Amino acid sequence: DTGVSQDPRHKITKRGQNVTFRCDPISEHNRLYWYRQTLGQGPEFLTYFQNEAQLEKSRLLSDRFSAERPKGSFSTLEIQRTEQGDSAMYLCASSPTSETLHFGNGTRLTVT
Amino acid sequence: AQSVAQPEDQVNVAEGNPLTVKCTYSVSGNPYLFWYVQYPNRGLQFLLKYITGDNLVKGSYGFEAEFNKSQTSFHLKKPSALVSDSALYFCAVSPIGAGTALIFGKGTTLSVSS
């Protein structure tokens, strides 16, 4: 079990630029989740995949955000035309058919 | 609206004393309940969960939690705190069951002094 891997760990970008984050789940975990966490808050759900199908999206996920999980393995989260309000920790988690989520260490995004 | 409340932003205890971190929830149906811990600049680590059965659930690192349906609470407890337990603790609920997104509380910072 190598754990959930996220890349990069940190990303600093200028407002208006596009960014893409990658998440590699624990192998054989068919469920993959993206969360966003801001300072002083708990993680907020963004979206959820079962295999390659995106089954649920939060209202927090504006049209500037898109997530994919081709072939049901790794996932990418893209933010277009970044805004300062997008600055946060982006967490990925995976799970098998059980309920317990296994989180990666996150990608910290800073938009200047 | 479905929600999780952690009424204390911070809990301070002395090493060796018992600790309690409080959590209450408001969801429909029979939820699944979880506790996670987060260390600085790290992701969340699973501590324990309640699905069904015995109301007292035991988890990692000596932590346990008690499910109280009438009070809609799921408080985290440990008989004897360690300095290394100092971290940010999150309560979470899955409103429907397996596979649905977890709703997290805002977190409680636990500080254990030596």
Side-chain angles (χ1 to χ4, degrees):
Chain A
D1 180 353
T2 58
V4 178
S5 177
Q6 292 189 246
D7 185 69
R9 289 297 307 275
H10 304 277
K11 177 71 177 179
I12 300 174
T13 190
K14 292 185 177 180
R15 186 177 54 189
Q17 298 295 305
N18 299 342
V19 294
T20 299
F21 309 141
R22 177 180 171 120
C23 172
D24 287 89
I26 295 171
S27 59
E28 300 175 356
H29 280 192
N30 61 357
R31 294 177 175 145
L32 187 147
Y33 303 78
W34 285 99
Y35 281 81
R36 180 173 67 188
Q37 184 180 20
T38 54
L39 194 63
Q41 299 297 322
E44 297 172 298
F45 169 73
L46 292 178
T47 191
Y48 152 58
F49 290 85
Q50 182 156 326
N51 299 313
E52 67 275 12
Q54 189 172 19
L55 296 186
E56 192 175 348
K57 292 171 62 174
S58 164
R59 286 171 292 179
L60 293 174
L61 211 65
S62 77
D63 57 5
R64 296 185 298 106
F65 287 69
S66 62
E68 296 182 341
R69 193 184 182 195
K71 303 179 182 178
S73 57
F74 72 92
S75 175
T76 58
L77 177 68
E78 181 183 16
I79 308 174
Q80 296 182 328
R81 306 180 303 279
T82 52
E83 302 173 356
Q84 288 188 321
D86 297 331
S87 295
M89 175 78 86
Y90 290 84
L91 296 168
C92 176
S94 69
S95 70
T97 54
S98 68
E99 308 80 16
T100 303
L101 270 59
H102 301 259
F103 283 86
N105 286 331
T107 293
R108 182 169 296 283
L109 173 66
T110 301
V111 181
T112 61
Chain B
Q2 302 183 109
S3 63
V4 177
Q6 293 181 243
E8 301 153 318
D9 289 337
Q10 180 148 345
V11 171
N12 300 308
V13 298
E15 189 174 32
N17 284 358
L19 69 89
T20 298
V21 183
K22 296 179 180 178
C23 172
T24 59
Y25 63 91
S26 175
V27 299
S28 56
N30 297 314
Y32 298 169
L33 297 157
F34 302 80
W35 277 99
Y36 284 81
V37 60
Q38 186 176 34
Y39 296 98
N41 298 313
R42 301 293 299 274
L44 280 71
Q45 296 178 27
F46 169 77
L47 277 180
L48 51 80
K49 65 183 176 185
Y50 172 83
I51 305 298
T52 187
D54 193 347
N55 289 345
L56 186 63
V57 178
K58 294 187 182 298
S60 307
Y61 312 119
F63 284 93
E64 57 189 28
E66 186 169 11
F67 171 63
N68 187 317
K69 187 172 183 178
S70 62
Q71 297 185 1
T72 61
S73 67
F74 190 55
H75 300 331
L76 181 69
K77 300 181 179 183
K78 188 173 182 181
S80 178
L82 299 172
V83 172
S84 58
D85 293 330
S86 298
L88 183 56
Y89 290 80
F90 291 99
C91 180
V93 60
S94 176
I96 299 174
T100 59
L102 293 182
I103 300 172
F104 284 86
K106 66 178 183 178
T108 298
T109 298
L110 174 65
S111 179
V112 182
S113 57
S114 58

